[in-house]
Amino acid sequence: MLDFTIQNVLIAVSDDYATVDVQIVDGAIAAISPSLQVIGTAIDGKNKLLLPGFFNAHTHSSEMWQRGIMSMFPLELWLAELYDFAPLDPEQVYLSALGTAVETLLSGGTSVVDHLVLIPGLELETIAIATRAYKEVGIRAFIAPLIQDESITAGMPSGESAQTHEPYFRSAAATLEIIEEAVRQFHRPDEGVNILVAPTGIQLCSDALFEGCTELSDRYNLCRHSHLLETRAQEKLAEEKYGCTAVEHLKRIGYLSNKTSLAHCVWLNDADIAILAETQSTVVHNPLSNLRLGSGIAPILKYRQAGVNVTFGCDGASSNDSQDLLEAIKIGSILHNITDSDYQHWITPRQAVEMASLGGAKGLNIGDKLGSLTVGKQADLVLYDLTNLSLLPRTDPIGLLVLGRPSNVVDSVWVNGKQIVADGKVTTINVDELRQQLFNRSQWETKRKSETVAQIEAHYRTVMGL
């Protein structure tokens, strides 16, 4: 780890900008002030903007293999189609984690929350492979093994028809044993790798699984991560299962806390929002997948007004088809200008940057360590090139970054003080080789509707009144 000083760099201060020097010592921000003495290596920050690294606070790295090919379906049918693809193999897990890390870094992210799909029978190996990929790149990784203990058909409301579901191949108890072993083997926050407990959501998980995850979270001080009420069908399902809203139920069983981040949160009522504020739970806004799957527009402005912490995620690359974090931040900000006519509630570019950085850190209970340019915090930093054509002419740098269409604007990235992007290129791995491997392991194809998907579609249309 090298000490360095970024000289004459632009940073945001209150409602303005300042040109300063930033000293980094032992992986942390040591000083921010004009005309500092150079410590370590001098970095030229002239005509560049320095921001804290963003969080890609919810994604599924392995979905990279299906991006661009999935049908225009709502989530429940999209998921059935996704299950139709051939199971992952270890090399695919590795390559897609590398790809997700690179795309996140080159769009301003220094941390990724990977709700990681596990290969059945190779669960710990899957986690080990993703861990290796993220460590090789150098991004800060929050690996959230995606777990369930109910079959896919249980994820839809029954409606008027009686439904029977095949038992899931792995019990809640066996699943929790795997997660506990993963914590023992891979949870190394000081090395940039964190394990989260991450039941997929109320639609495919029993109370036993949620409660077991809560116990592991408390025992090992782990963060919690889940999908929550992404679709209207899930709202209906919660009422069937619990006789109350999903948020009320999760509060009742003790899953919600300041260590809990919840992806989507589209179909919540005002009482639910108050519960999230009370429990200090975080909402991860995934606007692109919500649009792609027709899930709806999450009431983000209501969350913010209620004091709920909100951050951004790309979601998996087969329900978004990209891991461009800047794109998610832009759409996730301006989308809500149509949901509230009072423009004073709209999200400004500076607020969006804070949501993507400090909001992400708070969602993982590390707001005291990351998420802002603050002396003493760890140096997860991104330097943007303000001479790039997509950030010109010179107006408001953050406005251009958030509201424009920035392309190839990331100049340098440091994670925990270690530089992993320089001159716009990832330096820790061979990205050209990664591109070639991804190309060689895939082929142009089209997806045809299977009999299973057709059956699920028929039931879905009935229960949703279509």
Side-chain angles (χ1 to χ4, degrees):
M1 187 182 301
L2 298 176
D3 298 343
F4 59 96
T5 303
I6 307 174
Q7 295 182 292
N8 301 311
V9 71
L10 204 65
I11 65 169
V13 290
S14 59
D15 293 328
D16 202 354
Y17 294 92
T19 299
V20 299
D21 297 345
V22 180
Q23 290 176 346
I24 307 301
V25 177
D26 293 332
I29 301 171
I32 302 173
S33 184
S35 304
L36 290 172
Q37 178 183 352
V38 172
I39 293 179
T41 304
I43 306 290
D44 185 5
K46 186 177 180 182
N47 298 322
K48 295 182 175 70
L49 172 70
L50 185 68
L51 291 177
F54 299 147
F55 286 71
N56 186 355
H58 176 72
T59 191
H60 308 279
S61 61
S62 61
E63 286 182 16
M64 175 175 285
W65 296 99
Q66 288 81 37
R67 64 177 174 184
I69 193 174
M70 299 295 291
S71 299
M72 299 301 286
F73 273 155
L75 174 75
E76 286 74 19
L77 305 184
W78 169 92
L79 189 60
E81 183 176 271
L82 187 65
Y83 273 52
D84 260 1
F85 281 89
L88 292 170
D89 63 47
E91 184 187 29
Q92 287 177 310
V93 172
Y94 175 68
L95 294 175
S96 54
L98 289 178
T100 296
V102 169
E103 288 191 84
T104 297
L105 286 168
L106 295 181
S107 57
T110 52
S111 295
V112 60
V113 178
D114 188 355
H115 210 174
L116 182 67
V117 176
L118 304 177
I119 302 173
L122 297 174
E123 292 87 356
L124 289 171
E125 182 179 348
T126 306
I127 298 167
I129 291 166
T131 297
R132 175 164 65 93
Y134 289 131
K135 289 183 78 169
E136 285 179 9
V137 176
I139 198 168
R140 196 178 295 274
F142 297 83
I143 298 175
L146 189 150
I147 52 175
Q148 64 190 80
D149 62 344
E150 295 177 356
S151 63
I152 185 173
T153 56
M156 279 197 291
S158 298
E160 299 298 320
S161 60
Q163 296 288 309
T164 58
H165 309 293
E166 290 291 324
Y168 194 64
F169 77 94
R170 189 177 58 229
S171 69
T175 299
L176 291 166
E177 287 178 9
I178 290 169
I179 300 306
E180 185 167 13
E181 184 58 31
V183 173
R184 293 194 188 104
Q185 290 189 30
F186 308 113
H187 185 61
R188 303 288 186 273
D190 291 345
E191 299 174 16
V193 177
N194 304 263
I195 301 296
L196 280 61
V197 294
T200 184
I202 62 102
Q203 66 276 17
L204 296 175
C205 298
S206 68
D207 284 356
L209 189 58
F210 271 107
E211 290 166 348
C213 284
T214 300
E215 192 277 329
L216 286 176
S217 167
D218 291 341
R219 181 148 43 103
Y220 292 103
N221 192 28
L222 308 172
C223 287
R224 313 167 190 175
H225 186 68
S226 297
H227 300 96
L228 179 64
L229 294 179
E230 185 172 354
T231 67
R232 181 165 282 181
Q234 291 174 9
E235 179 189 41
K236 289 174 175 282
L237 177 67
E239 190 63 37
E240 280 187 5
K241 286 181 75 169
Y242 311 126
C244 64
T245 71
V247 175
E248 289 176 295
H249 186 73
L250 290 179
K251 180 188 177 185
R252 188 178 301 154
I253 64 175
Y255 189 73
L256 303 180
S257 78
N258 64 342
K259 297 188 293 186
T260 305
S261 59
L262 303 160
H264 303 293
C265 297
V266 178
W267 295 96
L268 274 63
N269 61 33
D270 289 347
D272 293 334
I273 294 171
I275 290 172
L276 293 190
E278 173 195 341
T279 57
Q280 300 179 58
S281 301
T282 288
V283 170
V284 182
H285 187 26
N286 299 271
L288 289 157
S289 63
N290 291 345
L291 292 170
R292 165 81 152 86
L293 302 176
S295 301
I297 299 176
I300 297 303
L301 301 185
K302 280 189 173 184
Y303 292 134
R304 286 172 50 79
Q305 290 169 61
V308 176
N309 183 50
V310 180
T311 189
F312 297 101
C314 288
D315 207 355
S318 64
S319 64
N320 168 351
D321 308 276
S322 166
Q323 291 296 291
D324 187 333
L325 194 48
L326 287 168
E327 181 183 45
I329 293 167
K330 174 179 179 175
I331 300 300
S333 303
I334 64 175
L335 175 64
H336 304 284
N337 295 1
I338 65 170
T339 66
D340 188 335
S341 59
D342 188 345
Y343 55 87
Q344 292 185 339
H345 297 153
W346 295 356
I347 298 169
T348 69
R350 286 184 179 235
Q351 288 171 337
V353 163
E354 184 175 18
M355 291 164 66
S357 51
L358 187 57
K362 287 179 177 178
L364 294 161
N365 204 30
I366 49 174
D368 59 332
K369 297 177 181 177
L370 289 169
S372 63
L373 298 182
T374 303
V375 171
K377 287 196 175 184
Q378 294 172 9
D380 286 19
L381 308 171
V382 180
L383 199 59
Y384 295 91
D385 179 8
L386 298 179
T387 69
N388 181 283
L389 184 60
S390 61
L391 295 182
L392 291 171
R394 289 189 289 174
T395 55
D396 179 348
I398 290 177
L400 288 163
L401 189 69
V402 173
L403 298 176
R405 182 63 178 90
S407 177
N408 303 317
V409 296
V410 171
D411 177 88
S412 301
V413 176
W414 295 266
V415 174
N416 201 31
K418 179 183 177 182
Q419 187 165 18
I420 56 178
V421 175
D423 298 322
K425 294 180 173 59
V426 176
T427 59
T428 47
I429 64 166
N430 187 327
V431 176
D432 288 337
E433 183 179 310
L434 171 62
R435 281 199 295 262
Q436 191 62 53
Q437 289 175 302
L438 286 167
F439 185 85
N440 291 343
R441 278 301 315 265
S442 54
Q443 60 183 2
W444 313 122
E445 58 181 311
T446 57
K447 182 67 178 168
R448 304 187 187 282
K449 190 183 298 182
S450 71
E451 182 178 339
T452 300
V453 173
Q455 290 173 348
I456 292 175
E457 182 178 13
H459 176 69
Y460 177 87
R461 292 187 67 82
T462 298
V463 298
M464 298 305 292
L466 299 174

